[in-house]
Amino acid sequence: MSGKNDNSLIGFDPLAWMSDDNVDEDGSRQQQQQKVIDEVKDEQVDVEQAPEVIEEFKEVSDVSPQIEDDKSDCKIILESVLNIQNVTVLYDQLLKALESNKPVEIDASAVSIVDTATLQLLAVFKQETVKLLREVSIDFPSDKFIESARLLGLADLLDVEQSAAGFF
Amino acid sequence: MAERVVAIINQKGGVGKTTTSTNLAYALAREGKKVTVIDLDPQGHLAVSFGVVNPKTNGIDGVMLDESEITQNLVPVRENLQLIVAGPRLQEIEQLTEGGAKRGDLLRRALHENLNDQDFVFIDCPPSSGVLVANALFAADEILIPMTSDFLALQGLSHMMGTIKRFEKVLNKKYKLFLVMSRYVSTRRISKEVLETMLEHFPNQVLATVIRETALLAECPSFGKSILEYRPGSRSARDFRSLAKDFLQGKVM
């Protein structure tokens, strides 16, 4: 956030991020991604301590680092209730998405309950895809999804902070 | 669909969205353009500003709920100018929690292949960032943001730009975006500083005419008239005539 000069009647410029954002889009997107990864280490939830299923993601990403030119999207629609009982189903979906080498869109509009295991899984998925320079977006996150992600300090990493009442 | 579909949007209240919608639409209609204005604010103030005061009249609510065609809800309010009122159930749409992304696409689908004879469709948005605004952003190709010259308006604009960029990314489109300085008080130093900040971040996007704050603009809605009808010789009427020309010509600061 940029400051203004001493005589200014505007203490700080709330729009300064727009200029920063343009710089990133022009040339340093990778730096921004790395910054996101670094920041997550300071979050309340230590994603490195997530369940075994998360480690499997890393194994998959290690053996499939190539990026194909195919730009058609891979869509995943999240269920209303996401908990430890069905996290393996989501894991399988994410695994397939990771193997497809396509941009991944995750529709979180219907989510009414989401537990820590699921959010951790999504967080690690996001981390790994960032490392692979793959495009992943969580679209239309519901209020509950955003609220839970914030509670665990994962809203920034999952990029669901800039919401429009459950749309984005 | 009309030649230009423009969402007049700002999630902050009191910045002049409805005043801009009313008077810009009327000024363009006076220029001979065919204009439709949609009242997407459940408060229904746009309709009141044009003298349409029956709250039970169905409008864009029924269209978005797929119960009627948009062409069945057009209310001719002036020459070249037609209105679609909010309708009593628009608030229900704002509170929709089911339907996923589809609930954001109701207005765009309603406008699809309709109003083809119109030069402009303006969507007067509510002061929020919910389902209705999402519908406006799905449907529109252009955005006009009225801005007041105070710090909190800048803060609100920052948040809204985040939302707009998110929409652009997800919908894979780039909005044509203009801003208009509204309720401008030229004697305040902060007004100039806010304007400078806007010009810094939105070069070639702030329309050249500033709409100055006047008492007349607060008075005319109660008479159901635009400022050009209420006090045609006033400086506010001149401001809006000038703004309409800027908007047509893309004239910016």
Side-chain angles (χ1 to χ4, degrees):
Chain A
M1 230 176 248
S2 333
K4 291 270 181 180
N5 67 49
D6 290 342
N7 295 323
S8 176
L9 296 177
I10 299 174
F12 70 91
D13 179 2
L15 293 163
W17 66 270
M18 290 182 59
S19 305
D20 298 342
D21 195 45
N22 289 338
V23 170
D24 280 325
E25 281 176 11
D26 290 344
S28 61
R29 191 175 184 83
Q30 249 182 297
Q31 282 182 348
Q32 189 185 24
Q33 289 171 334
Q34 188 56 51
K35 189 179 164 195
V36 171
I37 293 170
D38 292 342
E39 282 177 357
V40 79
K41 290 175 181 170
D42 299 328
E43 299 285 355
Q44 294 173 17
V45 174
D46 183 359
V47 293
E48 298 299 329
Q49 300 300 315
E52 282 182 16
V53 71
I54 292 168
E55 290 303 317
E56 291 183 47
F57 260 121
K58 296 182 176 178
E59 291 171 20
V60 171
S61 61
D62 286 342
V63 297
S64 54
Q66 74 279 11
I67 298 173
E68 292 180 0
D69 291 335
D70 188 351
K71 288 293 178 189
S72 58
D73 291 348
C74 176
K75 291 186 180 176
I76 295 172
I77 299 173
L78 297 183
E79 298 293 328
S80 173
V81 178
L82 299 168
N83 55 28
I84 194 73
Q85 277 78 33
N86 54 27
V87 73
T88 52
V89 176
L90 176 61
Y91 166 69
D92 288 339
Q93 288 179 305
L94 295 175
L95 199 59
K96 281 179 187 168
L98 200 62
E99 288 168 346
S100 73
N101 287 319
K102 296 173 183 173
V104 181
E105 292 179 3
I106 301 171
D107 184 338
S109 62
V111 176
S112 57
I113 297 172
V114 55
D115 71 352
T116 307
T118 304
L119 285 169
Q120 286 174 329
L121 178 63
L122 289 169
V124 174
F125 179 72
K126 186 100 178 178
Q127 275 189 307
E128 292 307 307
T129 50
V130 166
K131 283 180 193 167
L132 294 169
L133 302 179
R134 294 274 303 281
E135 289 179 36
V136 175
S137 60
I138 296 180
D139 299 334
F140 322 111
S142 65
D143 290 343
K144 279 291 176 191
F145 187 94
I146 295 169
E147 183 186 334
S148 302
R150 281 184 185 149
L151 200 62
L152 293 178
L154 294 174
D156 282 342
L157 174 65
L158 294 173
D159 198 15
V160 293
E161 272 295 6
Q162 290 174 338
S163 63
F167 271 87
F168 300 132
Chain B
M1 204 128 88
E3 199 167 313
R4 294 171 70 177
V5 180
V6 185
I8 297 182
I9 181 173
N10 192 328
Q11 66 200 17
K12 189 175 185 303
V15 296
K17 288 182 291 297
T18 301
T19 302
T20 303
S21 300
T22 305
N23 295 298
L24 178 60
Y26 182 79
L28 289 168
R30 284 281 297 267
E31 290 284 320
K33 302 296 178 187
K34 292 189 181 303
V35 182
T36 297
V37 279
I38 299 174
D39 192 350
L40 206 62
D41 185 345
Q43 297 177 99
H45 289 168
L46 180 65
V48 172
S49 299
F50 281 115
V52 178
V53 290
N54 185 353
K56 290 185 180 173
T57 304
N58 286 325
I60 199 65
D61 57 345
V63 176
M64 292 172 74
L65 292 168
D66 216 14
E67 293 173 359
S68 61
E69 292 292 321
I70 201 162
T71 48
Q72 296 174 303
N73 291 276
L74 295 168
V75 181
V77 285
R78 304 289 190 276
E79 189 179 355
N80 292 331
L81 181 57
Q82 51 192 11
L83 166 73
I84 302 174
V85 303
R89 290 182 297 156
L90 199 56
Q91 188 61 39
E92 293 174 27
I93 296 170
E94 181 73 310
Q95 290 162 355
L96 280 179
T97 55
E98 295 181 356
K102 284 182 183 172
R103 70 198 157 121
D105 203 27
L106 304 172
L107 182 59
R108 191 191 64 81
R109 285 193 290 129
L111 287 174
H112 185 63
E113 294 185 355
N114 279 310
L115 306 177
N116 295 334
D117 62 333
Q118 297 294 291
D119 295 308
F120 294 98
V121 170
F122 287 103
I123 306 167
D124 183 29
C125 294
S128 65
S129 54
V131 177
L132 293 171
V133 169
N135 270 275
L137 289 172
F138 268 73
D141 297 313
E142 298 184 36
I143 293 171
L144 177 61
I145 304 176
M147 268 290 293
T148 49
S149 46
D150 58 278
F151 173 74
L152 292 179
L154 276 182
Q155 182 77 34
L157 179 62
S158 172
H159 185 270
M160 197 176 63
M161 287 310 300
T163 301
I164 289 170
K165 283 179 178 285
R166 190 93 172 132
F167 270 77
E168 285 183 331
K169 185 179 170 191
V170 173
L171 300 178
N172 193 28
K173 71 176 180 182
K174 187 82 178 167
Y175 292 106
K176 185 176 180 183
L177 188 145
F178 285 115
L179 300 102
V180 54
M181 292 307 295
S182 176
R183 307 190 67 172
Y184 193 79
V185 182
S186 57
T187 52
R188 290 183 191 156
R189 185 154 68 91
I190 194 167
S191 297
K192 291 170 189 163
E193 289 201 20
V194 168
L195 179 55
E196 285 167 10
T197 305
M198 303 263 296
L199 290 170
E200 182 186 332
H201 294 296
F202 300 95
N204 302 315
Q205 289 179 293
V206 182
L207 290 173
T209 300
V210 160
I211 305 299
R212 291 164 288 183
E213 173 83 310
T214 65
L216 290 174
L217 285 172
E219 294 167 15
C220 54
S222 69
F223 295 94
K225 292 179 177 177
S226 71
I227 189 66
L228 285 83
E229 299 162 291
Y230 182 64
R231 291 289 187 274
S234 66
R235 65 178 183 180
S236 293
R238 288 199 300 275
D239 284 350
F240 273 103
R241 277 193 287 266
S242 175
L243 183 72
K245 284 178 183 158
D246 293 348
F247 189 75
L248 286 173
Q249 297 164 5
K251 189 178 173 189
V252 292
M253 289 188 195

Short mmCIF file of all heavy atoms in Angstrom, two decimals, chain A residues 102-154:
data_model
loop_
_atom_site.label_atom_id
_atom_site.label_comp_id
_atom_site.label_asym_id
_atom_site.label_seq_id
_atom_site.Cartn_x
_atom_site.Cartn_y
_atom_site.Cartn_z
N LYS A 102 -4.47 -29.62 -17.48
CA LYS A 102 -5.32 -28.54 -17.99
C LYS A 102 -5.56 -27.53 -16.87
O LYS A 102 -5.45 -27.89 -15.70
CB LYS A 102 -6.68 -29.10 -18.45
CG LYS A 102 -6.58 -30.05 -19.60
CD LYS A 102 -7.95 -30.66 -19.86
CE LYS A 102 -7.88 -31.69 -20.99
NZ LYS A 102 -9.16 -32.41 -21.14
N PRO A 103 -5.95 -26.31 -17.22
CA PRO A 103 -6.36 -25.37 -16.17
C PRO A 103 -7.52 -25.97 -15.37
O PRO A 103 -8.42 -26.58 -15.95
CB PRO A 103 -6.83 -24.14 -16.95
CG PRO A 103 -6.12 -24.22 -18.25
CD PRO A 103 -5.99 -25.69 -18.56
N VAL A 104 -7.48 -25.81 -14.07
CA VAL A 104 -8.47 -26.46 -13.22
C VAL A 104 -9.40 -25.40 -12.61
O VAL A 104 -8.93 -24.41 -12.03
CB VAL A 104 -7.79 -27.25 -12.08
CG1 VAL A 104 -8.84 -27.94 -11.21
CG2 VAL A 104 -6.81 -28.26 -12.65
N GLU A 105 -10.69 -25.61 -12.78
CA GLU A 105 -11.68 -24.73 -12.16
C GLU A 105 -12.44 -25.54 -11.12
O GLU A 105 -13.02 -26.58 -11.43
CB GLU A 105 -12.67 -24.21 -13.20
CG GLU A 105 -12.04 -23.25 -14.19
CD GLU A 105 -13.06 -22.77 -15.21
OE1 GLU A 105 -14.24 -23.15 -15.11
OE2 GLU A 105 -12.65 -22.05 -16.12
N ILE A 106 -12.43 -25.05 -9.89
CA ILE A 106 -13.12 -25.73 -8.81
C ILE A 106 -14.31 -24.88 -8.39
O ILE A 106 -14.14 -23.77 -7.90
CB ILE A 106 -12.17 -25.97 -7.62
CG1 ILE A 106 -10.97 -26.81 -8.07
CG2 ILE A 106 -12.90 -26.65 -6.47
CD1 ILE A 106 -9.87 -26.92 -7.03
N ASP A 107 -15.50 -25.40 -8.62
CA ASP A 107 -16.73 -24.66 -8.30
C ASP A 107 -17.11 -24.95 -6.84
O ASP A 107 -17.50 -26.06 -6.51
CB ASP A 107 -17.84 -25.09 -9.25
CG ASP A 107 -19.13 -24.29 -9.03
OD1 ASP A 107 -19.31 -23.74 -7.92
OD2 ASP A 107 -19.95 -24.23 -9.96
N ALA A 108 -16.98 -23.93 -5.99
CA ALA A 108 -17.26 -24.12 -4.56
C ALA A 108 -18.56 -23.44 -4.14
O ALA A 108 -18.76 -23.12 -2.98
CB ALA A 108 -16.10 -23.59 -3.74
N SER A 109 -19.44 -23.23 -5.10
CA SER A 109 -20.66 -22.46 -4.81
C SER A 109 -21.64 -23.21 -3.92
O SER A 109 -22.43 -22.60 -3.20
CB SER A 109 -21.35 -22.08 -6.12
OG SER A 109 -21.74 -23.24 -6.82
N ALA A 110 -21.61 -24.54 -3.97
CA ALA A 110 -22.63 -25.31 -3.24
C ALA A 110 -22.17 -25.72 -1.84
O ALA A 110 -22.92 -26.35 -1.10
CB ALA A 110 -23.00 -26.56 -4.04
N VAL A 111 -20.97 -25.36 -1.47
CA VAL A 111 -20.40 -25.85 -0.21
C VAL A 111 -21.10 -25.22 0.99
O VAL A 111 -21.16 -24.00 1.12
CB VAL A 111 -18.88 -25.55 -0.15
CG1 VAL A 111 -18.32 -25.96 1.21
CG2 VAL A 111 -18.16 -26.27 -1.27
N SER A 112 -21.65 -26.08 1.84
CA SER A 112 -22.28 -25.57 3.06
C SER A 112 -21.50 -25.98 4.30
O SER A 112 -21.57 -25.31 5.34
CB SER A 112 -23.72 -26.08 3.17
OG SER A 112 -23.74 -27.48 3.13
N ILE A 113 -20.76 -27.09 4.20
CA ILE A 113 -19.90 -27.52 5.31
C ILE A 113 -18.57 -27.98 4.72
O ILE A 113 -18.55 -28.78 3.78
CB ILE A 113 -20.54 -28.71 6.09
CG1 ILE A 113 -21.86 -28.27 6.72
CG2 ILE A 113 -19.59 -29.25 7.14
CD1 ILE A 113 -22.64 -29.42 7.34
N VAL A 114 -17.49 -27.47 5.27
CA VAL A 114 -16.18 -27.93 4.81
C VAL A 114 -15.26 -28.06 6.02
O VAL A 114 -15.20 -27.15 6.86
CB VAL A 114 -15.59 -26.98 3.74
CG1 VAL A 114 -15.51 -25.55 4.23
CG2 VAL A 114 -14.23 -27.45 3.26
N ASP A 115 -14.59 -29.19 6.13
CA ASP A 115 -13.75 -29.40 7.31
C ASP A 115 -12.28 -29.11 7.02
O ASP A 115 -11.88 -28.82 5.88
CB ASP A 115 -13.96 -30.81 7.87
CG ASP A 115 -13.36 -31.88 6.97
OD1 ASP A 115 -12.91 -31.54 5.85
OD2 ASP A 115 -13.32 -33.05 7.38
N THR A 116 -11.48 -29.22 8.06
CA THR A 116 -10.06 -28.87 7.95
C THR A 116 -9.34 -29.76 6.94
O THR A 116 -8.51 -29.28 6.16
CB THR A 116 -9.40 -29.02 9.33
OG1 THR A 116 -10.16 -28.25 10.26
CG2 THR A 116 -7.98 -28.52 9.32
N ALA A 117 -9.65 -31.05 6.96
CA ALA A 117 -8.95 -31.98 6.07
C ALA A 117 -9.13 -31.58 4.61
O ALA A 117 -8.18 -31.59 3.81
CB ALA A 117 -9.46 -33.41 6.30
N THR A 118 -10.36 -31.21 4.27
CA THR A 118 -10.64 -30.83 2.89
C THR A 118 -9.92 -29.54 2.51
O THR A 118 -9.33 -29.43 1.43
CB THR A 118 -12.16 -30.63 2.69
OG1 THR A 118 -12.83 -31.82 3.08
CG2 THR A 118 -12.48 -30.30 1.25
N LEU A 119 -9.95 -28.58 3.41
CA LEU A 119 -9.28 -27.31 3.12
C LEU A 119 -7.77 -27.51 3.01
O LEU A 119 -7.11 -26.89 2.17
CB LEU A 119 -9.61 -26.27 4.19
CG LEU A 119 -11.02 -25.68 4.08
CD1 LEU A 119 -11.37 -24.87 5.33
CD2 LEU A 119 -11.15 -24.81 2.84
N GLN A 120 -7.23 -28.37 3.85
CA GLN A 120 -5.80 -28.66 3.77
C GLN A 120 -5.47 -29.31 2.43
O GLN A 120 -4.47 -29.00 1.79
CB GLN A 120 -5.38 -29.57 4.93
CG GLN A 120 -5.31 -28.85 6.27
CD GLN A 120 -5.03 -29.79 7.41
OE1 GLN A 120 -5.41 -30.96 7.38
NE2 GLN A 120 -4.37 -29.28 8.43
N LEU A 121 -6.34 -30.23 2.03
CA LEU A 121 -6.14 -30.91 0.75
C LEU A 121 -6.15 -29.88 -0.40
O LEU A 121 -5.25 -29.89 -1.26
CB LEU A 121 -7.26 -31.93 0.54
CG LEU A 121 -7.26 -32.71 -0.78
CD1 LEU A 121 -6.01 -33.56 -0.89
CD2 LEU A 121 -8.50 -33.58 -0.88
N LEU A 122 -7.12 -28.99 -0.37
CA LEU A 122 -7.19 -27.97 -1.42
C LEU A 122 -5.99 -27.02 -1.36
O LEU A 122 -5.47 -26.60 -2.39
CB LEU A 122 -8.49 -27.16 -1.28
CG LEU A 122 -9.77 -27.92 -1.64
CD1 LEU A 122 -11.01 -27.12 -1.21
CD2 LEU A 122 -9.83 -28.20 -3.14
N ALA A 123 -5.54 -26.73 -0.14
CA ALA A 123 -4.39 -25.83 0.02
C ALA A 123 -3.14 -26.45 -0.60
O ALA A 123 -2.39 -25.78 -1.33
CB ALA A 123 -4.16 -25.53 1.49
N VAL A 124 -2.91 -27.71 -0.32
CA VAL A 124 -1.73 -28.35 -0.87
C VAL A 124 -1.85 -28.52 -2.39
O VAL A 124 -0.88 -28.34 -3.13
CB VAL A 124 -1.49 -29.72 -0.19
CG1 VAL A 124 -0.35 -30.47 -0.86
CG2 VAL A 124 -1.17 -29.50 1.27
N PHE A 125 -3.06 -28.82 -2.83
CA PHE A 125 -3.29 -28.91 -4.27
C PHE A 125 -2.93 -27.59 -4.95
O PHE A 125 -2.25 -27.56 -5.97
CB PHE A 125 -4.76 -29.26 -4.53
CG PHE A 125 -5.11 -29.36 -5.99
CD1 PHE A 125 -4.67 -30.43 -6.74
CD2 PHE A 125 -5.88 -28.38 -6.60
CE1 PHE A 125 -4.99 -30.52 -8.10
CE2 PHE A 125 -6.20 -28.47 -7.94
CZ PHE A 125 -5.75 -29.54 -8.69
N LYS A 126 -3.38 -26.51 -4.32
CA LYS A 126 -3.10 -25.19 -4.88
C LYS A 126 -1.59 -24.93 -4.88
O LYS A 126 -1.03 -24.45 -5.87
CB LYS A 126 -3.82 -24.14 -4.02
CG LYS A 126 -3.73 -22.75 -4.57
CD LYS A 126 -4.98 -22.36 -5.31
CE LYS A 126 -4.87 -20.93 -5.81
NZ LYS A 126 -6.02 -20.51 -6.56
N GLN A 127 -0.94 -25.26 -3.79
CA GLN A 127 0.52 -25.07 -3.70
C GLN A 127 1.24 -25.82 -4.80
O GLN A 127 2.13 -25.30 -5.46
CB GLN A 127 1.03 -25.59 -2.36
CG GLN A 127 0.92 -24.60 -1.22
CD GLN A 127 1.64 -25.11 0.00
OE1 GLN A 127 1.37 -26.23 0.43
NE2 GLN A 127 2.54 -24.32 0.52
N GLU A 128 0.86 -27.07 -4.95
CA GLU A 128 1.56 -27.91 -5.92
C GLU A 128 1.31 -27.42 -7.35
O GLU A 128 2.21 -27.44 -8.18
CB GLU A 128 1.09 -29.37 -5.78
CG GLU A 128 1.52 -30.01 -4.48
CD GLU A 128 3.02 -29.90 -4.23
OE1 GLU A 128 3.80 -30.29 -5.13
OE2 GLU A 128 3.42 -29.40 -3.17
N THR A 129 0.10 -26.99 -7.61
CA THR A 129 -0.19 -26.51 -8.96
C THR A 129 0.52 -25.19 -9.26
O THR A 129 0.91 -24.94 -10.39
CB THR A 129 -1.71 -26.33 -9.17
OG1 THR A 129 -2.23 -25.56 -8.10
CG2 THR A 129 -2.42 -27.66 -9.25
N VAL A 130 0.68 -24.39 -8.22
CA VAL A 130 1.45 -23.15 -8.41
C VAL A 130 2.88 -23.49 -8.78
O VAL A 130 3.47 -22.90 -9.70
CB VAL A 130 1.39 -22.28 -7.13
CG1 VAL A 130 2.45 -21.17 -7.17
CG2 VAL A 130 0.02 -21.65 -6.96
N LYS A 131 3.45 -24.46 -8.09
CA LYS A 131 4.82 -24.87 -8.39
C LYS A 131 4.93 -25.35 -9.84
O LYS A 131 5.94 -25.17 -10.50
CB LYS A 131 5.25 -26.00 -7.46
CG LYS A 131 5.62 -25.54 -6.07
CD LYS A 131 6.04 -26.74 -5.25
CE LYS A 131 6.11 -26.38 -3.77
NZ LYS A 131 6.20 -27.59 -2.93
N LEU A 132 3.87 -25.99 -10.30
CA LEU A 132 3.87 -26.54 -11.67
C LEU A 132 3.45 -25.50 -12.70
O LEU A 132 3.30 -25.82 -13.88
CB LEU A 132 2.89 -27.73 -11.75
CG LEU A 132 3.28 -28.95 -10.92
CD1 LEU A 132 2.13 -29.94 -10.87
CD2 LEU A 132 4.51 -29.60 -11.51
N LEU A 133 3.24 -24.26 -12.23
CA LEU A 133 2.78 -23.17 -13.11
C LEU A 133 1.46 -23.52 -13.78
O LEU A 133 1.20 -23.17 -14.93
CB LEU A 133 3.84 -22.81 -14.16
CG LEU A 133 5.20 -22.39 -13.62
CD1 LEU A 133 6.15 -22.09 -14.76
CD2 LEU A 133 5.07 -21.20 -12.70
N ARG A 134 0.63 -24.23 -13.04
CA ARG A 134 -0.68 -24.59 -13.58
C ARG A 134 -1.73 -23.61 -13.06
O ARG A 134 -1.62 -23.09 -11.95
CB ARG A 134 -1.06 -26.00 -13.11
CG ARG A 134 -0.16 -27.09 -13.69
CD ARG A 134 -0.66 -27.52 -15.03
NE ARG A 134 -2.04 -27.99 -14.93
CZ ARG A 134 -2.38 -29.21 -14.48
NH1 ARG A 134 -1.45 -30.06 -14.12
NH2 ARG A 134 -3.64 -29.57 -14.42
N GLU A 135 -2.75 -23.36 -13.87
CA GLU A 135 -3.80 -22.43 -13.47
C GLU A 135 -4.89 -23.18 -12.69
O GLU A 135 -5.45 -24.15 -13.19
CB GLU A 135 -4.44 -21.79 -14.69
CG GLU A 135 -3.54 -20.81 -15.41
CD GLU A 135 -4.22 -20.23 -16.63
OE1 GLU A 135 -5.44 -20.02 -16.59
OE2 GLU A 135 -3.52 -20.02 -17.63
N VAL A 136 -5.14 -22.70 -11.48
CA VAL A 136 -6.21 -23.27 -10.67
C VAL A 136 -7.02 -22.13 -10.07
O VAL A 136 -6.45 -21.18 -9.54
CB VAL A 136 -5.65 -24.13 -9.52
CG1 VAL A 136 -6.79 -24.61 -8.62
CG2 VAL A 136 -4.90 -25.32 -10.05
N SER A 137 -8.32 -22.21 -10.20
CA SER A 137 -9.14 -21.18 -9.56
C SER A 137 -10.30 -21.83 -8.81
O SER A 137 -10.84 -22.85 -9.25
CB SER A 137 -9.70 -20.20 -10.59
OG SER A 137 -10.49 -20.88 -11.52
N ILE A 138 -10.58 -21.28 -7.66
CA ILE A 138 -11.76 -21.72 -6.91
C ILE A 138 -12.84 -20.69 -7.19
O ILE A 138 -12.76 -19.54 -6.73
CB ILE A 138 -11.44 -21.84 -5.41
CG1 ILE A 138 -10.38 -22.93 -5.22
CG2 ILE A 138 -12.71 -22.16 -4.63
CD1 ILE A 138 -9.97 -23.17 -3.80
N ASP A 139 -13.82 -21.09 -7.97
CA ASP A 139 -14.83 -20.15 -8.44
C ASP A 139 -16.10 -20.21 -7.59
O ASP A 139 -16.46 -21.27 -7.08
CB ASP A 139 -15.21 -20.46 -9.89
CG ASP A 139 -14.01 -20.32 -10.81
OD1 ASP A 139 -13.09 -19.55 -10.45
OD2 ASP A 139 -13.98 -20.98 -11.85
N PHE A 140 -16.74 -19.09 -7.49
CA PHE A 140 -18.02 -18.97 -6.79
C PHE A 140 -18.00 -19.57 -5.38
O PHE A 140 -18.93 -20.29 -5.00
CB PHE A 140 -19.15 -19.64 -7.59
CG PHE A 140 -19.03 -19.45 -9.08
CD1 PHE A 140 -18.72 -20.50 -9.92
CD2 PHE A 140 -19.19 -18.19 -9.62
CE1 PHE A 140 -18.60 -20.31 -11.28
CE2 PHE A 140 -19.08 -17.99 -10.98
CZ PHE A 140 -18.78 -19.05 -11.82
N PRO A 141 -16.97 -19.31 -4.59
CA PRO A 141 -16.95 -19.90 -3.24
C PRO A 141 -18.14 -19.39 -2.43
O PRO A 141 -18.41 -18.19 -2.42
CB PRO A 141 -15.63 -19.41 -2.65
CG PRO A 141 -15.30 -18.18 -3.41
CD PRO A 141 -15.83 -18.38 -4.79
N SER A 142 -18.79 -20.32 -1.76
CA SER A 142 -19.94 -19.93 -0.92
C SER A 142 -19.43 -19.18 0.31
O SER A 142 -18.24 -19.22 0.64
CB SER A 142 -20.70 -21.18 -0.48
OG SER A 142 -19.87 -21.96 0.35
N ASP A 143 -20.33 -18.51 0.98
CA ASP A 143 -19.96 -17.78 2.20
C ASP A 143 -19.33 -18.72 3.22
O ASP A 143 -18.37 -18.37 3.90
CB ASP A 143 -21.19 -17.10 2.81
CG ASP A 143 -21.66 -15.94 1.94
OD1 ASP A 143 -20.87 -15.49 1.09
OD2 ASP A 143 -22.81 -15.51 2.11
N LYS A 144 -19.90 -19.93 3.32
CA LYS A 144 -19.38 -20.89 4.31
C LYS A 144 -17.96 -21.32 3.95
O LYS A 144 -17.11 -21.49 4.82
CB LYS A 144 -20.30 -22.14 4.36
CG LYS A 144 -21.53 -21.94 5.20
CD LYS A 144 -21.16 -21.84 6.68
CE LYS A 144 -22.38 -21.54 7.52
NZ LYS A 144 -22.01 -21.19 8.90
N PHE A 145 -17.73 -21.49 2.66
CA PHE A 145 -16.40 -21.88 2.22
C PHE A 145 -15.39 -20.79 2.57
O PHE A 145 -14.32 -21.05 3.13
CB PHE A 145 -16.39 -22.15 0.71
CG PHE A 145 -15.10 -22.71 0.20
CD1 PHE A 145 -14.93 -24.09 0.08
CD2 PHE A 145 -14.04 -21.88 -0.12
CE1 PHE A 145 -13.73 -24.61 -0.37
CE2 PHE A 145 -12.84 -22.40 -0.57
CZ PHE A 145 -12.68 -23.77 -0.70
N ILE A 146 -15.76 -19.55 2.27
CA ILE A 146 -14.85 -18.42 2.54
C ILE A 146 -14.61 -18.29 4.04
O ILE A 146 -13.48 -18.11 4.50
CB ILE A 146 -15.45 -17.12 1.97
CG1 ILE A 146 -15.52 -17.19 0.45
CG2 ILE A 146 -14.63 -15.91 2.39
CD1 ILE A 146 -16.32 -16.08 -0.20
N GLU A 147 -15.70 -18.42 4.79
CA GLU A 147 -15.60 -18.28 6.25
C GLU A 147 -14.66 -19.33 6.84
O GLU A 147 -13.79 -19.02 7.66
CB GLU A 147 -17.01 -18.45 6.84
CG GLU A 147 -17.10 -18.25 8.33
CD GLU A 147 -18.51 -18.57 8.85
OE1 GLU A 147 -19.47 -18.48 8.08
OE2 GLU A 147 -18.60 -18.96 10.03
N SER A 148 -14.79 -20.57 6.37
CA SER A 148 -13.94 -21.65 6.88
C SER A 148 -12.49 -21.45 6.47
O SER A 148 -11.57 -21.68 7.27
CB SER A 148 -14.44 -23.01 6.36
OG SER A 148 -15.78 -23.20 6.75
N ALA A 149 -12.31 -21.01 5.23
CA ALA A 149 -10.94 -20.79 4.75
C ALA A 149 -10.26 -19.67 5.55
O ALA A 149 -9.08 -19.76 5.90
CB ALA A 149 -10.96 -20.43 3.26
N ARG A 150 -11.03 -18.65 5.85
CA ARG A 150 -10.48 -17.54 6.66
C ARG A 150 -10.12 -18.02 8.06
O ARG A 150 -9.08 -17.66 8.60
CB ARG A 150 -11.52 -16.42 6.77
CG ARG A 150 -11.59 -15.55 5.53
CD ARG A 150 -12.56 -14.41 5.75
NE ARG A 150 -12.73 -13.64 4.52
CZ ARG A 150 -13.83 -13.00 4.18
NH1 ARG A 150 -14.88 -13.04 4.98
NH2 ARG A 150 -13.90 -12.33 3.07
N LEU A 151 -11.00 -18.85 8.61
CA LEU A 151 -10.79 -19.34 9.97
C LEU A 151 -9.47 -20.10 10.07
O LEU A 151 -8.76 -20.02 11.07
CB LEU A 151 -11.96 -20.26 10.34
CG LEU A 151 -12.22 -20.52 11.82
CD1 LEU A 151 -12.57 -19.21 12.53
CD2 LEU A 151 -13.35 -21.50 11.98
N LEU A 152 -9.14 -20.81 9.02
CA LEU A 152 -7.89 -21.58 9.03
C LEU A 152 -6.72 -20.79 8.45
O LEU A 152 -5.63 -21.32 8.30
CB LEU A 152 -8.08 -22.87 8.22
CG LEU A 152 -9.04 -23.88 8.83
CD1 LEU A 152 -9.19 -25.09 7.94
CD2 LEU A 152 -8.57 -24.32 10.21
N GLY A 153 -6.97 -19.55 8.12
CA GLY A 153 -5.88 -18.73 7.57
C GLY A 153 -5.48 -19.14 6.17
O GLY A 153 -4.34 -18.90 5.75
N LEU A 154 -6.39 -19.76 5.45
CA LEU A 154 -6.06 -20.25 4.10
C LEU A 154 -6.77 -19.47 2.99
O LEU A 154 -6.65 -19.83 1.82
CB LEU A 154 -6.45 -21.73 3.98
CG LEU A 154 -5.64 -22.70 4.86
CD1 LEU A 154 -6.21 -24.10 4.77
CD2 LEU A 154 -4.18 -22.70 4.45
#
